[in-house]
Amino acid sequence: MSKADDKMQKLVSLCKRRGFIYPACEIYGGFANAWSFAPYGVELRNNVKRLWWKKFVQEREDIVGIDGPILLHSKLWEASGHTSGFNDSMVDCKKCKHRFRADHVVEDATGKDLEGQNEEMTKVLREEKIPCPNCGECDWTEARSFNMMFKTEMNGIEGPVYLRPETAGAIFVDFKNVVDSMRVKVPFGIAQIGKAFRNEIVAGNFIFRIREFEQMEIEYFIHPKTKWEPLFEEWLDKQEEYALALGADKKNLRRYEHAKEKLSHYSQKTIDIEYKFSFGFKELFGLAHRGDFDLTQHAKASGQKLEYFDTVKNERYVPHVLEPTFGVDRSLLVALDAAYTEEKVNDGVRIVMKFPVSIAPIKIAFFPLLKNKPELVARAKELYQKFNSQYNCEFDDNGNIGKRYRRQDEIGTPFCATVDFESLENQDVTVRDRDTMKQERIAIKDLDDYLAKKL
Ligand code: GAP
C-alpha cells in the first residue's frame, strides 16, 4: 500500500470508528461511493458551512443569500448549455468490463490532456496500446460522451426533469427577483449553499468525487466595463483564506489556470485552487469569469429582460459575473486531511485531529474523574449542562480518563475539563489542552472567560 493510500485508509477508518462518516447502506452491502455523515461529521460539516456563510454573506454588505430548489425547470438547463454540453468522456475495457474516464486513462498513461476529443482519445488508447488500469489488457471500446445530469420525472410535467448539476442555475433564475426585492447595487453577489448531483463516470477517493455532493457558490455581478482582473485576484485570495481557515497549510495550496481551449462552455477564464491531498494536487475550489453568458442565455430562453438599471447613471445593462465556487465535501476532506496527526507518546502513538477550534465538532468535554462517585458525576454534569447552550459540549464518564482523552483527541475536541475531588473543595476543574496535552487548574468562576478567550 502506498503512503497516500495508507493515509486515506487511516482517515476512512477513523471517520467510521469515531462517527464522522459512514459508508452508505452498509447493511445492504454498501452503495457505490455514497457516504453518510455521522453525528460528528454533521457538526463538522455545519461548522464548515457556517464559517463560509459568515465570511462571504454575513460579514459582507454586498452579498445576499438564497436557497433555491434542486429540481428546476428543464428549460434552464437547455439555456445554460448543460443538456447538450455537460459531458465527460467514458471508455470501457472490453475484457474486464471496467468503465473509466477516457481523458483520465489517456492522461495518466501519456501525460496528454485530450479532454473532449473522443476520436483522438480512441486513437491514442488503441495505437499506443494503453493497458487497462484494472486488468492490463488493451481492448478498448470507443471513447464517447456521457451527459452527467441525473434525470427524473415529475407529476404534471412533460419530459425529463433534472437534479441540478450545480447550484448556480438556481441563482441566475432568481437574479431579477433579488434585484427587485433586495435593493442591491452592482457590484453585488448572490450566494447559495446546497446539494448538486452529477452522474460521475468514476467516483472515488472517499468524499472527493461523489455523485451527490454540496456546493457553496457565489455569483458576483459586476459592470461589464469593470476592470475585473484585480477583483478576480481578490476573489482567489479570499478563496485561499477560506482554505487556510479550514486548517490547510499554505504550502499545500496552489493555483491552476485552465487552458483557453479547455474552458467550460460558459467561461472566459477559470482558475482552480488546488489542494495537495494524499492522492496528489487536485481541484478544491474554482473561480470563473462567466461574462454575461448566463443572464443573456436565460433572457433569450425565457423572454424576460434580465438587466440591471443604475438609477444614478440612468444606465441599463446586463451585468457580467465572477463565480467563486466551493465544494462542501472537498472542504470537509481538507479539514480532515489537514487535521490528521499521529504523535509518538510514551505508551505508543496518539492520533489527534487538530481542527481549528472554529470548526471542531465538540468544543469542550466534561468528565468526572470517577464514574462511581455521584458527587463528581453531578458536578461534571452540571458544568456540561451550563456550557452546552453556548458551545457544543460532551459529557463522558466511560472507561478510564486516559481512554476518554484519546477518544476526544480523535474527535478533535480542543479542551477536556475534569472534575476530581480537589475540584469539589476548591471549586475548580482541570482543563487539558488537545494539542499540548498540558493541564491547568481553572476556577469554575473563571471558566466562562477562559473558554470565551480560547474558543
Ligand atoms: N458552478 C460552477 C461549477 O459547478 P465545478 O468546478 O464543476 O464548477 C465546483 O464545481 C466545485 O464543486 C468544485 O470545485 C468541487 O469543490 C465541487 N465538486 C464538483 N464535482 C464534485 C464531485 N463529483 N464530488 C464532490 N465535489 C464536487
Side-chain angles (χ1 to χ4, degrees), residues 172 175 186 221-226 290-300 304-310 315-321:
F172 290 118
F175 168 79
V186 167
F221 299 95
I222 57 175
H223 190 285
K225 294 210 174 105
T226 302
R290 290 176 84 125
D292 61 0
F293 173 84
D294 300 271
L295 291 181
T296 306
Q297 285 294 103
H298 292 306
K300 259 195 247 160
Q304 300 280 327
K305 278 205 169 103
L306 298 180
E307 295 172 335
Y308 175 80
F309 181 61
D310 185 329
E315 186 191 9
R316 193 176 288 282
Y317 58 88
V318 179
H320 283 200
V321 174

PDB file of all heavy atoms in Angstrom, residues 172 175 186 221-226 290-300 304-310 315-321:
ATOM      1  N   PHE A 172     -29.121  32.204 -10.980  1.00  0.00           N
ATOM      2  CA  PHE A 172     -29.394  33.035 -12.169  1.00  0.00           C
ATOM      3  C   PHE A 172     -30.889  33.237 -12.390  1.00  0.00           C
ATOM      4  O   PHE A 172     -31.317  34.317 -12.769  1.00  0.00           O
ATOM      5  CB  PHE A 172     -28.735  32.423 -13.415  1.00  0.00           C
ATOM      6  CG  PHE A 172     -27.236  32.537 -13.381  1.00  0.00           C
ATOM      7  CD1 PHE A 172     -26.425  31.417 -13.377  1.00  0.00           C
ATOM      8  CD2 PHE A 172     -26.635  33.797 -13.331  1.00  0.00           C
ATOM      9  CE1 PHE A 172     -25.046  31.529 -13.326  1.00  0.00           C
ATOM     10  CE2 PHE A 172     -25.248  33.918 -13.276  1.00  0.00           C
ATOM     11  CZ  PHE A 172     -24.455  32.784 -13.271  1.00  0.00           C
ATOM     12  N   PHE A 175     -32.165  36.065 -10.294  1.00  0.00           N
ATOM     13  CA  PHE A 175     -31.469  37.351 -10.396  1.00  0.00           C
ATOM     14  C   PHE A 175     -32.454  38.530 -10.338  1.00  0.00           C
ATOM     15  O   PHE A 175     -32.320  39.456  -9.544  1.00  0.00           O
ATOM     16  CB  PHE A 175     -30.652  37.396 -11.694  1.00  0.00           C
ATOM     17  CG  PHE A 175     -30.127  38.757 -12.046  1.00  0.00           C
ATOM     18  CD1 PHE A 175     -28.995  39.256 -11.421  1.00  0.00           C
ATOM     19  CD2 PHE A 175     -30.783  39.553 -12.988  1.00  0.00           C
ATOM     20  CE1 PHE A 175     -28.512  40.527 -11.732  1.00  0.00           C
ATOM     21  CE2 PHE A 175     -30.302  40.820 -13.296  1.00  0.00           C
ATOM     22  CZ  PHE A 175     -29.167  41.313 -12.671  1.00  0.00           C
ATOM     23  N   VAL A 186     -25.025  47.063  -8.010  1.00  0.00           N
ATOM     24  CA  VAL A 186     -23.831  46.461  -8.642  1.00  0.00           C
ATOM     25  C   VAL A 186     -22.595  47.229  -8.182  1.00  0.00           C
ATOM     26  O   VAL A 186     -22.635  48.465  -8.148  1.00  0.00           O
ATOM     27  CB  VAL A 186     -23.981  46.540 -10.185  1.00  0.00           C
ATOM     28  CG1 VAL A 186     -22.662  46.227 -10.878  1.00  0.00           C
ATOM     29  CG2 VAL A 186     -25.073  45.569 -10.669  1.00  0.00           C
ATOM     30  N   PHE A 221     -22.017  39.872  -9.443  1.00  0.00           N
ATOM     31  CA  PHE A 221     -22.389  40.646 -10.631  1.00  0.00           C
ATOM     32  C   PHE A 221     -21.641  41.974 -10.670  1.00  0.00           C
ATOM     33  O   PHE A 221     -21.653  42.728  -9.693  1.00  0.00           O
ATOM     34  CB  PHE A 221     -23.911  40.887 -10.640  1.00  0.00           C
ATOM     35  CG  PHE A 221     -24.689  39.593 -10.678  1.00  0.00           C
ATOM     36  CD1 PHE A 221     -25.155  39.012  -9.496  1.00  0.00           C
ATOM     37  CD2 PHE A 221     -24.920  38.943 -11.877  1.00  0.00           C
ATOM     38  CE1 PHE A 221     -25.845  37.806  -9.523  1.00  0.00           C
ATOM     39  CE2 PHE A 221     -25.616  37.740 -11.925  1.00  0.00           C
ATOM     40  CZ  PHE A 221     -26.079  37.171 -10.740  1.00  0.00           C
ATOM     41  N   ILE A 222     -21.015  42.228 -11.812  1.00  0.00           N
ATOM     42  CA  ILE A 222     -20.211  43.448 -11.960  1.00  0.00           C
ATOM     43  C   ILE A 222     -20.612  44.190 -13.243  1.00  0.00           C
ATOM     44  O   ILE A 222     -21.227  43.593 -14.142  1.00  0.00           O
ATOM     45  CB  ILE A 222     -18.684  43.132 -12.007  1.00  0.00           C
ATOM     46  CG1 ILE A 222     -18.366  42.137 -13.151  1.00  0.00           C
ATOM     47  CG2 ILE A 222     -18.212  42.572 -10.679  1.00  0.00           C
ATOM     48  CD1 ILE A 222     -16.882  41.872 -13.346  1.00  0.00           C
ATOM     49  N   HIS A 223     -20.242  45.462 -13.327  1.00  0.00           N
ATOM     50  CA  HIS A 223     -20.492  46.247 -14.543  1.00  0.00           C
ATOM     51  C   HIS A 223     -19.628  45.667 -15.668  1.00  0.00           C
ATOM     52  O   HIS A 223     -18.458  45.319 -15.440  1.00  0.00           O
ATOM     53  CB  HIS A 223     -20.128  47.712 -14.279  1.00  0.00           C
ATOM     54  CG  HIS A 223     -20.578  48.628 -15.376  1.00  0.00           C
ATOM     55  ND1 HIS A 223     -19.937  48.690 -16.600  1.00  0.00           N
ATOM     56  CD2 HIS A 223     -21.604  49.497 -15.440  1.00  0.00           C
ATOM     57  CE1 HIS A 223     -20.557  49.556 -17.374  1.00  0.00           C
ATOM     58  NE2 HIS A 223     -21.589  50.065 -16.693  1.00  0.00           N
ATOM     59  N   PRO A 224     -20.183  45.559 -16.894  1.00  0.00           N
ATOM     60  CA  PRO A 224     -19.400  44.944 -17.992  1.00  0.00           C
ATOM     61  C   PRO A 224     -18.078  45.647 -18.264  1.00  0.00           C
ATOM     62  O   PRO A 224     -17.145  45.040 -18.788  1.00  0.00           O
ATOM     63  CB  PRO A 224     -20.309  45.072 -19.216  1.00  0.00           C
ATOM     64  CG  PRO A 224     -21.656  45.439 -18.705  1.00  0.00           C
ATOM     65  CD  PRO A 224     -21.537  45.942 -17.297  1.00  0.00           C
ATOM     66  N   LYS A 225     -18.008  46.962 -17.889  1.00  0.00           N
ATOM     67  CA  LYS A 225     -16.749  47.672 -18.187  1.00  0.00           C
ATOM     68  C   LYS A 225     -15.799  47.686 -16.988  1.00  0.00           C
ATOM     69  O   LYS A 225     -14.751  48.336 -17.036  1.00  0.00           O
ATOM     70  CB  LYS A 225     -17.064  49.101 -18.629  1.00  0.00           C
ATOM     71  CG  LYS A 225     -17.801  49.144 -19.954  1.00  0.00           C
ATOM     72  CD  LYS A 225     -17.480  50.418 -20.735  1.00  0.00           C
ATOM     73  CE  LYS A 225     -18.108  50.373 -22.102  1.00  0.00           C
ATOM     74  NZ  LYS A 225     -19.301  51.236 -22.223  1.00  0.00           N
ATOM     75  N   THR A 226     -16.181  47.010 -15.905  1.00  0.00           N
ATOM     76  CA  THR A 226     -15.296  46.960 -14.733  1.00  0.00           C
ATOM     77  C   THR A 226     -13.970  46.315 -15.114  1.00  0.00           C
ATOM     78  O   THR A 226     -13.939  45.317 -15.839  1.00  0.00           O
ATOM     79  CB  THR A 226     -15.938  46.090 -13.614  1.00  0.00           C
ATOM     80  OG1 THR A 226     -17.183  46.651 -13.281  1.00  0.00           O
ATOM     81  CG2 THR A 226     -15.052  45.999 -12.380  1.00  0.00           C
ATOM     82  N   ARG A 290     -17.708  34.266 -15.936  1.00  0.00           N
ATOM     83  CA  ARG A 290     -18.757  33.730 -16.806  1.00  0.00           C
ATOM     84  C   ARG A 290     -19.297  34.796 -17.760  1.00  0.00           C
ATOM     85  O   ARG A 290     -20.227  34.516 -18.512  1.00  0.00           O
ATOM     86  CB  ARG A 290     -19.897  33.139 -15.968  1.00  0.00           C
ATOM     87  CG  ARG A 290     -19.517  31.856 -15.239  1.00  0.00           C
ATOM     88  CD  ARG A 290     -20.621  31.321 -14.327  1.00  0.00           C
ATOM     89  NE  ARG A 290     -21.615  30.520 -15.000  1.00  0.00           N
ATOM     90  CZ  ARG A 290     -21.972  29.277 -14.672  1.00  0.00           C
ATOM     91  NH1 ARG A 290     -21.392  28.661 -13.656  1.00  0.00           N
ATOM     92  NH2 ARG A 290     -22.898  28.624 -15.331  1.00  0.00           N
ATOM     93  N   GLY A 291     -18.726  36.001 -17.712  1.00  0.00           N
ATOM     94  CA  GLY A 291     -19.193  37.079 -18.597  1.00  0.00           C
ATOM     95  C   GLY A 291     -20.691  37.298 -18.412  1.00  0.00           C
ATOM     96  O   GLY A 291     -21.201  37.213 -17.289  1.00  0.00           O
ATOM     97  N   ASP A 292     -21.402  37.575 -19.546  1.00  0.00           N
ATOM     98  CA  ASP A 292     -22.865  37.732 -19.430  1.00  0.00           C
ATOM     99  C   ASP A 292     -23.566  36.501 -19.999  1.00  0.00           C
ATOM    100  O   ASP A 292     -24.745  36.534 -20.331  1.00  0.00           O
ATOM    101  CB  ASP A 292     -23.332  39.010 -20.134  1.00  0.00           C
ATOM    102  CG  ASP A 292     -23.008  38.978 -21.629  1.00  0.00           C
ATOM    103  OD1 ASP A 292     -22.438  37.977 -22.105  1.00  0.00           O
ATOM    104  OD2 ASP A 292     -23.334  39.968 -22.318  1.00  0.00           O
ATOM    105  N   PHE A 293     -22.799  35.395 -20.113  1.00  0.00           N
ATOM    106  CA  PHE A 293     -23.322  34.183 -20.742  1.00  0.00           C
ATOM    107  C   PHE A 293     -24.665  33.759 -20.140  1.00  0.00           C
ATOM    108  O   PHE A 293     -25.660  33.586 -20.848  1.00  0.00           O
ATOM    109  CB  PHE A 293     -22.299  33.034 -20.603  1.00  0.00           C
ATOM    110  CG  PHE A 293     -22.827  31.709 -21.089  1.00  0.00           C
ATOM    111  CD1 PHE A 293     -22.783  31.375 -22.431  1.00  0.00           C
ATOM    112  CD2 PHE A 293     -23.407  30.800 -20.196  1.00  0.00           C
ATOM    113  CE1 PHE A 293     -23.299  30.160 -22.879  1.00  0.00           C
ATOM    114  CE2 PHE A 293     -23.918  29.579 -20.639  1.00  0.00           C
ATOM    115  CZ  PHE A 293     -23.858  29.270 -21.984  1.00  0.00           C
ATOM    116  N   ASP A 294     -24.724  33.631 -18.820  1.00  0.00           N
ATOM    117  CA  ASP A 294     -25.929  33.042 -18.211  1.00  0.00           C
ATOM    118  C   ASP A 294     -27.123  33.968 -18.301  1.00  0.00           C
ATOM    119  O   ASP A 294     -28.217  33.551 -18.704  1.00  0.00           O
ATOM    120  CB  ASP A 294     -25.636  32.693 -16.749  1.00  0.00           C
ATOM    121  CG  ASP A 294     -24.498  31.698 -16.649  1.00  0.00           C
ATOM    122  OD1 ASP A 294     -24.772  30.494 -16.679  1.00  0.00           O
ATOM    123  OD2 ASP A 294     -23.328  32.131 -16.583  1.00  0.00           O
ATOM    124  N   LEU A 295     -26.944  35.249 -17.910  1.00  0.00           N
ATOM    125  CA  LEU A 295     -28.098  36.157 -17.929  1.00  0.00           C
ATOM    126  C   LEU A 295     -28.616  36.316 -19.360  1.00  0.00           C
ATOM    127  O   LEU A 295     -29.824  36.350 -19.596  1.00  0.00           O
ATOM    128  CB  LEU A 295     -27.729  37.512 -17.320  1.00  0.00           C
ATOM    129  CG  LEU A 295     -27.476  37.481 -15.797  1.00  0.00           C
ATOM    130  CD1 LEU A 295     -27.150  38.882 -15.284  1.00  0.00           C
ATOM    131  CD2 LEU A 295     -28.668  36.913 -15.027  1.00  0.00           C
ATOM    132  N   THR A 296     -27.712  36.389 -20.318  1.00  0.00           N
ATOM    133  CA  THR A 296     -28.128  36.548 -21.720  1.00  0.00           C
ATOM    134  C   THR A 296     -28.879  35.305 -22.190  1.00  0.00           C
ATOM    135  O   THR A 296     -29.933  35.396 -22.811  1.00  0.00           O
ATOM    136  CB  THR A 296     -26.878  36.775 -22.613  1.00  0.00           C
ATOM    137  OG1 THR A 296     -26.166  37.866 -22.063  1.00  0.00           O
ATOM    138  CG2 THR A 296     -27.261  37.084 -24.038  1.00  0.00           C
ATOM    139  N   GLN A 297     -28.346  34.145 -21.882  1.00  0.00           N
ATOM    140  CA  GLN A 297     -28.987  32.891 -22.304  1.00  0.00           C
ATOM    141  C   GLN A 297     -30.373  32.755 -21.677  1.00  0.00           C
ATOM    142  O   GLN A 297     -31.333  32.388 -22.351  1.00  0.00           O
ATOM    143  CB  GLN A 297     -28.131  31.690 -21.862  1.00  0.00           C
ATOM    144  CG  GLN A 297     -26.892  31.467 -22.684  1.00  0.00           C
ATOM    145  CD  GLN A 297     -27.241  31.079 -24.121  1.00  0.00           C
ATOM    146  OE1 GLN A 297     -27.147  31.896 -25.018  1.00  0.00           O
ATOM    147  NE2 GLN A 297     -27.690  29.855 -24.305  1.00  0.00           N
ATOM    148  N   HIS A 298     -30.481  33.050 -20.376  1.00  0.00           N
ATOM    149  CA  HIS A 298     -31.780  32.900 -19.704  1.00  0.00           C
ATOM    150  C   HIS A 298     -32.766  33.965 -20.184  1.00  0.00           C
ATOM    151  O   HIS A 298     -33.970  33.709 -20.245  1.00  0.00           O
ATOM    152  CB  HIS A 298     -31.621  32.951 -18.181  1.00  0.00           C
ATOM    153  CG  HIS A 298     -30.889  31.757 -17.635  1.00  0.00           C
ATOM    154  ND1 HIS A 298     -31.291  30.468 -17.907  1.00  0.00           N
ATOM    155  CD2 HIS A 298     -29.771  31.644 -16.878  1.00  0.00           C
ATOM    156  CE1 HIS A 298     -30.450  29.614 -17.330  1.00  0.00           C
ATOM    157  NE2 HIS A 298     -29.518  30.313 -16.705  1.00  0.00           N
ATOM    158  N   ALA A 299     -32.258  35.144 -20.515  1.00  0.00           N
ATOM    159  CA  ALA A 299     -33.146  36.191 -21.044  1.00  0.00           C
ATOM    160  C   ALA A 299     -33.706  35.741 -22.396  1.00  0.00           C
ATOM    161  O   ALA A 299     -34.913  35.834 -22.651  1.00  0.00           O
ATOM    162  CB  ALA A 299     -32.373  37.508 -21.180  1.00  0.00           C
ATOM    163  N   LYS A 300     -32.829  35.190 -23.237  1.00  0.00           N
ATOM    164  CA  LYS A 300     -33.271  34.718 -24.561  1.00  0.00           C
ATOM    165  C   LYS A 300     -34.306  33.612 -24.414  1.00  0.00           C
ATOM    166  O   LYS A 300     -35.364  33.626 -25.033  1.00  0.00           O
ATOM    167  CB  LYS A 300     -32.056  34.149 -25.322  1.00  0.00           C
ATOM    168  CG  LYS A 300     -31.481  35.114 -26.364  1.00  0.00           C
ATOM    169  CD  LYS A 300     -30.558  34.350 -27.307  1.00  0.00           C
ATOM    170  CE  LYS A 300     -29.124  34.819 -27.102  1.00  0.00           C
ATOM    171  NZ  LYS A 300     -28.114  33.904 -27.561  1.00  0.00           N
ATOM    172  N   GLN A 304     -37.673  37.074 -20.816  1.00  0.00           N
ATOM    173  CA  GLN A 304     -37.679  38.115 -19.758  1.00  0.00           C
ATOM    174  C   GLN A 304     -36.407  38.954 -19.878  1.00  0.00           C
ATOM    175  O   GLN A 304     -35.352  38.420 -20.215  1.00  0.00           O
ATOM    176  CB  GLN A 304     -37.648  37.459 -18.374  1.00  0.00           C
ATOM    177  CG  GLN A 304     -38.812  36.560 -18.078  1.00  0.00           C
ATOM    178  CD  GLN A 304     -40.039  37.324 -17.652  1.00  0.00           C
ATOM    179  OE1 GLN A 304     -39.929  38.359 -17.005  1.00  0.00           O
ATOM    180  NE2 GLN A 304     -41.209  36.840 -18.051  1.00  0.00           N
ATOM    181  N   LYS A 305     -36.518  40.239 -19.535  1.00  0.00           N
ATOM    182  CA  LYS A 305     -35.304  41.070 -19.523  1.00  0.00           C
ATOM    183  C   LYS A 305     -34.554  40.806 -18.217  1.00  0.00           C
ATOM    184  O   LYS A 305     -35.127  40.953 -17.145  1.00  0.00           O
ATOM    185  CB  LYS A 305     -35.702  42.546 -19.566  1.00  0.00           C
ATOM    186  CG  LYS A 305     -36.008  43.027 -20.951  1.00  0.00           C
ATOM    187  CD  LYS A 305     -35.788  44.546 -21.024  1.00  0.00           C
ATOM    188  CE  LYS A 305     -35.818  45.003 -22.452  1.00  0.00           C
ATOM    189  NZ  LYS A 305     -37.079  45.655 -22.822  1.00  0.00           N
ATOM    190  N   LEU A 306     -33.306  40.409 -18.326  1.00  0.00           N
ATOM    191  CA  LEU A 306     -32.522  40.190 -17.102  1.00  0.00           C
ATOM    192  C   LEU A 306     -31.407  41.238 -17.084  1.00  0.00           C
ATOM    193  O   LEU A 306     -30.267  40.960 -17.436  1.00  0.00           O
ATOM    194  CB  LEU A 306     -31.971  38.761 -17.059  1.00  0.00           C
ATOM    195  CG  LEU A 306     -33.040  37.666 -17.043  1.00  0.00           C
ATOM    196  CD1 LEU A 306     -32.404  36.284 -17.000  1.00  0.00           C
ATOM    197  CD2 LEU A 306     -33.987  37.824 -15.850  1.00  0.00           C
ATOM    198  N   GLU A 307     -31.812  42.446 -16.687  1.00  0.00           N
ATOM    199  CA  GLU A 307     -30.883  43.578 -16.730  1.00  0.00           C
ATOM    200  C   GLU A 307     -30.838  44.245 -15.371  1.00  0.00           C
ATOM    201  O   GLU A 307     -31.669  43.980 -14.503  1.00  0.00           O
ATOM    202  CB  GLU A 307     -31.376  44.608 -17.750  1.00  0.00           C
ATOM    203  CG  GLU A 307     -31.374  44.098 -19.167  1.00  0.00           C
ATOM    204  CD  GLU A 307     -32.054  45.084 -20.107  1.00  0.00           C
ATOM    205  OE1 GLU A 307     -32.906  45.888 -19.656  1.00  0.00           O
ATOM    206  OE2 GLU A 307     -31.727  45.061 -21.289  1.00  0.00           O
ATOM    207  N   TYR A 308     -29.885  45.135 -15.269  1.00  0.00           N
ATOM    208  CA  TYR A 308     -29.779  45.944 -14.051  1.00  0.00           C
ATOM    209  C   TYR A 308     -29.922  47.399 -14.464  1.00  0.00           C
ATOM    210  O   TYR A 308     -29.363  47.816 -15.480  1.00  0.00           O
ATOM    211  CB  TYR A 308     -28.419  45.702 -13.396  1.00  0.00           C
ATOM    212  CG  TYR A 308     -28.162  46.588 -12.205  1.00  0.00           C
ATOM    213  CD1 TYR A 308     -28.717  46.286 -10.954  1.00  0.00           C
ATOM    214  CD2 TYR A 308     -27.373  47.730 -12.322  1.00  0.00           C
ATOM    215  CE1 TYR A 308     -28.494  47.098  -9.861  1.00  0.00           C
ATOM    216  CE2 TYR A 308     -27.139  48.543 -11.223  1.00  0.00           C
ATOM    217  CZ  TYR A 308     -27.707  48.223  -9.999  1.00  0.00           C
ATOM    218  OH  TYR A 308     -27.480  49.033  -8.923  1.00  0.00           O
ATOM    219  N   PHE A 309     -30.694  48.162 -13.696  1.00  0.00           N
ATOM    220  CA  PHE A 309     -30.844  49.578 -14.022  1.00  0.00           C
ATOM    221  C   PHE A 309     -30.175  50.417 -12.940  1.00  0.00           C
ATOM    222  O   PHE A 309     -30.538  50.351 -11.764  1.00  0.00           O
ATOM    223  CB  PHE A 309     -32.323  49.941 -14.152  1.00  0.00           C
ATOM    224  CG  PHE A 309     -32.520  51.387 -14.505  1.00  0.00           C
ATOM    225  CD1 PHE A 309     -32.010  51.905 -15.710  1.00  0.00           C
ATOM    226  CD2 PHE A 309     -33.189  52.252 -13.641  1.00  0.00           C
ATOM    227  CE1 PHE A 309     -32.162  53.245 -16.029  1.00  0.00           C
ATOM    228  CE2 PHE A 309     -33.343  53.594 -13.964  1.00  0.00           C
ATOM    229  CZ  PHE A 309     -32.830  54.093 -15.164  1.00  0.00           C
ATOM    230  N   ASP A 310     -29.166  51.179 -13.365  1.00  0.00           N
ATOM    231  CA  ASP A 310     -28.452  52.057 -12.444  1.00  0.00           C
ATOM    232  C   ASP A 310     -29.178  53.404 -12.428  1.00  0.00           C
ATOM    233  O   ASP A 310     -29.116  54.171 -13.391  1.00  0.00           O
ATOM    234  CB  ASP A 310     -26.999  52.213 -12.924  1.00  0.00           C
ATOM    235  CG  ASP A 310     -26.162  53.019 -11.942  1.00  0.00           C
ATOM    236  OD1 ASP A 310     -26.722  53.908 -11.268  1.00  0.00           O
ATOM    237  OD2 ASP A 310     -24.951  52.752 -11.857  1.00  0.00           O
ATOM    238  N   GLU A 315     -28.505  54.203 -16.409  1.00  0.00           N
ATOM    239  CA  GLU A 315     -27.903  53.265 -17.371  1.00  0.00           C
ATOM    240  C   GLU A 315     -28.472  51.863 -17.161  1.00  0.00           C
ATOM    241  O   GLU A 315     -28.587  51.395 -16.024  1.00  0.00           O
ATOM    242  CB  GLU A 315     -26.373  53.245 -17.127  1.00  0.00           C
ATOM    243  CG  GLU A 315     -25.603  52.429 -18.128  1.00  0.00           C
ATOM    244  CD  GLU A 315     -24.142  52.229 -17.697  1.00  0.00           C
ATOM    245  OE1 GLU A 315     -23.774  52.574 -16.559  1.00  0.00           O
ATOM    246  OE2 GLU A 315     -23.379  51.703 -18.532  1.00  0.00           O
ATOM    247  N   ARG A 316     -28.835  51.221 -18.245  1.00  0.00           N
ATOM    248  CA  ARG A 316     -29.381  49.853 -18.168  1.00  0.00           C
ATOM    249  C   ARG A 316     -28.387  48.897 -18.836  1.00  0.00           C
ATOM    250  O   ARG A 316     -27.894  49.177 -19.918  1.00  0.00           O
ATOM    251  CB  ARG A 316     -30.707  49.842 -18.940  1.00  0.00           C
ATOM    252  CG  ARG A 316     -31.550  48.614 -18.718  1.00  0.00           C
ATOM    253  CD  ARG A 316     -32.870  48.767 -19.461  1.00  0.00           C
ATOM    254  NE  ARG A 316     -33.758  49.744 -18.851  1.00  0.00           N
ATOM    255  CZ  ARG A 316     -34.488  49.516 -17.766  1.00  0.00           C
ATOM    256  NH1 ARG A 316     -34.450  48.348 -17.178  1.00  0.00           N
ATOM    257  NH2 ARG A 316     -35.268  50.468 -17.274  1.00  0.00           N
ATOM    258  N   TYR A 317     -28.083  47.792 -18.188  1.00  0.00           N
ATOM    259  CA  TYR A 317     -27.120  46.849 -18.784  1.00  0.00           C
ATOM    260  C   TYR A 317     -27.273  45.438 -18.205  1.00  0.00           C
ATOM    261  O   TYR A 317     -27.913  45.246 -17.174  1.00  0.00           O
ATOM    262  CB  TYR A 317     -25.679  47.343 -18.579  1.00  0.00           C
ATOM    263  CG  TYR A 317     -25.274  47.544 -17.135  1.00  0.00           C
ATOM    264  CD1 TYR A 317     -24.745  46.499 -16.385  1.00  0.00           C
ATOM    265  CD2 TYR A 317     -25.413  48.797 -16.518  1.00  0.00           C
ATOM    266  CE1 TYR A 317     -24.374  46.685 -15.063  1.00  0.00           C
ATOM    267  CE2 TYR A 317     -25.051  48.989 -15.201  1.00  0.00           C
ATOM    268  CZ  TYR A 317     -24.532  47.932 -14.470  1.00  0.00           C
ATOM    269  OH  TYR A 317     -24.183  48.121 -13.157  1.00  0.00           O
ATOM    270  N   VAL A 318     -26.671  44.487 -18.912  1.00  0.00           N
ATOM    271  CA  VAL A 318     -26.609  43.105 -18.408  1.00  0.00           C
ATOM    272  C   VAL A 318     -25.260  42.954 -17.690  1.00  0.00           C
ATOM    273  O   VAL A 318     -24.203  43.075 -18.323  1.00  0.00           O
ATOM    274  CB  VAL A 318     -26.694  42.074 -19.573  1.00  0.00           C
ATOM    275  CG1 VAL A 318     -26.594  40.643 -19.035  1.00  0.00           C
ATOM    276  CG2 VAL A 318     -27.979  42.274 -20.359  1.00  0.00           C
ATOM    277  N   PRO A 319     -25.286  42.703 -16.385  1.00  0.00           N
ATOM    278  CA  PRO A 319     -24.005  42.597 -15.675  1.00  0.00           C
ATOM    279  C   PRO A 319     -23.188  41.375 -16.113  1.00  0.00           C
ATOM    280  O   PRO A 319     -23.749  40.414 -16.623  1.00  0.00           O
ATOM    281  CB  PRO A 319     -24.411  42.437 -14.205  1.00  0.00           C
ATOM    282  CG  PRO A 319     -25.840  42.792 -14.131  1.00  0.00           C
ATOM    283  CD  PRO A 319     -26.431  42.540 -15.480  1.00  0.00           C
ATOM    284  N   HIS A 320     -21.895  41.441 -15.878  1.00  0.00           N
ATOM    285  CA  HIS A 320     -21.032  40.271 -16.045  1.00  0.00           C
ATOM    286  C   HIS A 320     -20.894  39.589 -14.678  1.00  0.00           C
ATOM    287  O   HIS A 320     -21.219  40.187 -13.652  1.00  0.00           O
ATOM    288  CB  HIS A 320     -19.662  40.693 -16.584  1.00  0.00           C
ATOM    289  CG  HIS A 320     -19.701  40.990 -18.053  1.00  0.00           C
ATOM    290  ND1 HIS A 320     -18.590  40.996 -18.842  1.00  0.00           N
ATOM    291  CD2 HIS A 320     -20.745  41.275 -18.878  1.00  0.00           C
ATOM    292  CE1 HIS A 320     -18.931  41.274 -20.086  1.00  0.00           C
ATOM    293  NE2 HIS A 320     -20.223  41.457 -20.128  1.00  0.00           N
ATOM    294  N   VAL A 321     -20.389  38.364 -14.718  1.00  0.00           N
ATOM    295  CA  VAL A 321     -20.392  37.574 -13.483  1.00  0.00           C
ATOM    296  C   VAL A 321     -19.034  36.938 -13.199  1.00  0.00           C
ATOM    297  O   VAL A 321     -18.451  36.303 -14.077  1.00  0.00           O
ATOM    298  CB  VAL A 321     -21.434  36.428 -13.594  1.00  0.00           C
ATOM    299  CG1 VAL A 321     -21.355  35.510 -12.390  1.00  0.00           C
ATOM    300  CG2 VAL A 321     -22.826  36.989 -13.723  1.00  0.00           C
TER     301      VAL A 321
END
